[in-house]
Amino acid sequence: RAVWSPDGREIVSLDQGGNVRFWNPMTLEVQSENAVPLLASGSALDWSPDGKWIAVGGPASQLLIWDAALRRQVREIPLE
């Protein structure tokens, strides 16, 4: 799964291995990569409308909130 940032300057993707990647859409180069094993086979990924946050979720019944500027997880929310 991959989604564009609201301003169109970045793409964030989540693969089946739980890797979150930030891409430059002009060069198609990976700018940052973070492995999140608990998200293996993760299926949910989206930006907040203001582009400041990214919500990442998967089969582990957790929602991870990422700071888009820092490109790292800042909060974990159990969904059960």
Side-chain angles (χ1 to χ4, degrees):
R1 175 133 166 90
V3 292
W4 287 84
S5 64
D7 64 8
R9 293 182 184 176
E10 285 187 287
I11 298 171
V12 66
S13 67
L14 173 64
D15 69 20
Q16 291 183 353
N19 297 299
V20 177
R21 293 184 180 96
F22 290 82
W23 300 79
N24 178 323
M26 300 300 289
T27 64
L28 297 179
E29 292 181 6
V30 175
Q31 303 297 307
S32 176
E33 181 174 350
N34 299 289
V36 186
L38 70 93
L39 289 176
S41 301
S43 59
L45 175 71
D46 208 354
W47 292 80
S48 64
D50 63 8
K52 293 181 180 180
W53 310 102
I54 300 166
V56 183
S61 297
Q62 294 174 319
L63 178 66
L64 305 181
I65 305 299
W66 288 58
D67 182 308
L70 298 176
R71 297 180 178 174
R72 67 178 177 91
Q73 178 187 329
V74 293
R75 187 160 185 208
E76 184 175 318
I77 302 168
L79 298 178
E80 292 183 352

